[in-house]
Amino acid sequence: MRSHEVTEVHKLLENGKLVEPGWSRKMVQIYDRNDIKKRKTRIKEWDYYYVMSNEHKFAICMTVSDLGYIGMNSVSFINLDNATEHTDSIIIPFPMGKFHMPSSTKEGDVKFKNKKLAIEFLHTEKGRLLRMEYPSFDGGKGIRANILLFDEPEESMVIATPWDEDEHAFYYNQKINPMRASGKVEYDGKLYELNPQTDFGGLDWGRGVWTYDNYWYWGSGAGQVDGVPFGFNIGYGFGNTSAASENTIFYNGKTHKFDDVKFNISANYTDPWTFTSSDGRFEMDFVPIIDRAAKIDLKAIVTDQHQVFGKMSGTAILDDGTKIEIKDFLCFAEEVHNKY
C-alpha cells in the first residue's frame, strides 16, 4: 500500500529537491518559493475553490493561478438543474510570482484585480471569505459572489509528489474538504443564497514545478451523509506516486486514507462512469449531469479539460471498517491534459 505519512515539520525542499515524498493530514512540510531551483516560468501556483449548492442545484468555481508563462484567473458557474455552464478567464502573460501567492493555506490572502475582474480569497475570524465581481462574465450577464466557508475540518489531504524525469520537479498539494458554505451568488440577475445546512465547498491548493506534458484524473465532492460532513478526494496520473496516492475519504473532520482508484470512463464523457479501488474501500457509480469541457491552445501552452459534474452513489469504507453509503451525492470528476 502506498501510504508513507509525513508527520515531522521540516522544509519541503532541500537543494530544490523534495525532502520527503508522501502524504500528511496537515501542512507539516514548509513550502518556500525561494527554495525552488528552476526558472520562474516553470513554477506553478494556484488556489482553486469550488462550492456546491444542493439546495439550488448549482456549483461555482473560482481560480487564481500563476502558471509562470501565464496567469489564469477563472470563474465557472454550473447550473446542475438544466445542465448548462459558463466559464470565463482572464489571461495575464508572464506573472512569474507577481501574484504573491501565499506559501501556506494557514495564512495569507490571495487577491487579483484588473478592469474586468476583482477576486479575493481572505482569511477571517469566521472562516475563508471568497469575494468576486466579474461584470463582463458571460457576455455581460455578470456574476458576483460573497461566500464564507467555515467549519474547516481538523484534518485534510496533503501530498508531496516528485517526478522521476526531473529531480527538481515536484507538486505540493492540499485538499481541504468539506467546509460549510454561506453567503450569496448573483448571476444573470438572479440571486442565490447558500444554505450552510446543505451547501459545502472545498479548496484545492497547489504549488510546484511541473514537467511539461501531463495527464491527470481528479474527483472531489463536499457534502454530508445523515447530517455528518462527508467528502472525498480521488486522483492519479502524474509524477511518481510510489510514496503515496492522494485518495482520501473525509468524514466528520477526519482523513481516511485508501490506496489506488481507477476512473472507468467511456469515450462519451456524459455516459455513466464507475470508480473502483484496489482495496475495495471506494466503489462508486457516477451519473454525469454536464461535461464542463474547455480547451485553450496557445501553442506552447495547451490545456484540455473535461470536468464532469454529476451524482455519485456507492460505498466508502472508513479506516475502522465502517461503511458509508452515499446516494446521488453531488460531485465532479475530471480528465485533464496539460502542456505548460
Side-chain angles (χ1 to χ4, degrees):
M1 182 175 178
R2 304 200 312 256
S3 60
H4 174 65
E5 184 175 356
V6 181
T7 58
E8 299 296 325
V9 176
H10 58 74
K11 291 181 70 171
L12 178 74
L13 302 175
E14 195 70 52
N15 296 318
K17 304 173 188 177
L18 273 184
V19 173
E20 188 176 3
W23 73 281
S24 55
R25 301 170 195 273
K26 298 180 180 180
M27 192 169 279
V28 296
Q29 301 196 69
I30 301 167
Y31 169 79
D32 186 339
R33 183 184 173 99
N34 295 320
D35 293 336
I36 294 172
K37 301 299 184 184
K38 300 288 280 190
R39 64 184 188 272
K40 290 181 180 180
T41 52
R42 300 305 309 151
I43 302 173
K44 318 296 179 190
E45 299 182 321
W46 67 73
D47 284 31
Y48 169 88
Y49 284 94
Y50 73 87
V51 178
M52 295 271 201
S53 174
N54 284 277
E55 184 162 308
H56 297 293
K57 300 295 186 292
F58 77 87
I60 185 171
C61 309
M62 292 177 278
T63 311
V64 174
S65 65
D66 178 343
L67 304 178
Y69 297 105
I70 62 170
M72 187 178 299
N73 304 313
S74 301
V75 177
S76 299
F77 186 92
I78 302 94
N79 189 319
L80 301 171
D81 200 32
N82 63 13
T84 59
E85 67 85 20
H86 189 82
T87 299
D88 276 336
S89 300
I90 301 293
I91 306 297
I92 305 295
F94 298 102
M96 296 190 296
K98 295 175 185 175
F99 291 174
H100 303 291
M101 304 293 283
S103 60
S104 167
T105 59
K106 300 172 186 176
E107 58 187 8
D109 297 331
V110 173
K111 297 181 180 181
F112 172 81
K113 186 175 183 179
N114 70 0
K115 294 179 180 179
K116 291 187 175 181
L117 170 65
I119 187 168
E120 53 187 15
F121 307 144
L122 309 175
H123 284 274
T124 73
E125 290 183 359
K126 293 182 179 180
R128 296 173 183 270
L129 183 61
L130 318 180
R131 297 198 298 207
M132 175 271 298
E133 189 159 2
Y134 201 164
S136 62
F137 183 82
D138 196 2
K141 292 179 179 178
I143 190 168
R144 65 177 64 183
N146 192 318
I147 299 169
L148 182 70
L149 297 179
F150 63 99
D151 277 1
E152 190 165 314
E154 179 184 349
E155 296 181 353
S156 62
M157 174 66 203
V158 185
I159 190 165
T161 304
W163 270 265
D164 290 336
E165 55 266 45
D166 186 343
E167 64 182 7
H168 291 126
F170 70 94
Y171 181 46
Y172 193 43
N173 176 235
Q174 183 175 28
K175 305 293 199 316
I176 300 177
N177 176 5
M179 294 176 278
R180 294 188 183 273
S182 65
K184 298 177 181 180
V185 177
E186 186 177 352
Y187 168 51
D188 192 18
K190 184 175 181 180
L191 183 65
Y192 301 85
E193 294 202 35
L194 294 165
N195 180 354
Q197 297 303 312
T198 60
D199 301 340
F200 291 81
L203 167 63
D204 171 26
W205 181 96
R207 305 289 187 268
V209 172
W210 287 60
T211 55
Y212 177 65
D213 191 345
N214 289 279
Y215 275 90
W216 78 64
Y217 298 85
W218 177 41
S220 185
Q224 60 188 355
V225 176
D226 297 328
V228 180
F230 170 88
F232 62 84
N233 182 77
I234 51 177
Y236 60 96
F238 59 83
N240 181 343
T241 57
S242 60
S245 73
E246 64 178 86
N247 301 310
T248 309
I249 299 159
F250 304 108
Y251 188 74
N252 203 21
K254 298 293 185 179
T255 292
H256 298 260
K257 183 76 177 61
F258 66 98
D259 204 6
D260 291 330
V261 69
K262 184 180 179 184
F263 291 36
N264 299 304
I265 314 168
S266 75
N268 184 354
Y269 288 92
T270 54
D271 286 344
W273 301 20
T274 62
F275 301 89
T276 186
S277 53
S278 59
D279 52 14
R281 292 182 56 188
F282 195 86
E283 302 297 319
M284 298 288 173
D285 296 317
F286 179 61
V287 178
I289 296 172
I290 184 173
D291 174 14
R292 192 190 70 78
K295 185 170 184 177
I296 296 174
D297 188 346
L298 303 176
K299 304 308 177 189
I301 300 166
V302 179
T303 178
D304 189 2
Q305 307 175 14
H306 290 273
Q307 184 183 33
V308 180
F309 289 79
K311 296 180 178 180
M312 195 175 284
S313 300
T315 303
I317 300 178
L318 305 184
D319 289 344
D320 64 1
T322 301
K323 287 187 177 182
I324 307 297
E325 302 282 349
I326 68 170
K327 177 69 174 173
D328 295 334
F329 190 84
L330 281 180
C331 61
F332 65 83
E334 67 182 28
E335 179 185 74
V336 174
H337 182 202
N338 277 339
K339 294 181 180 181
Y340 61 7

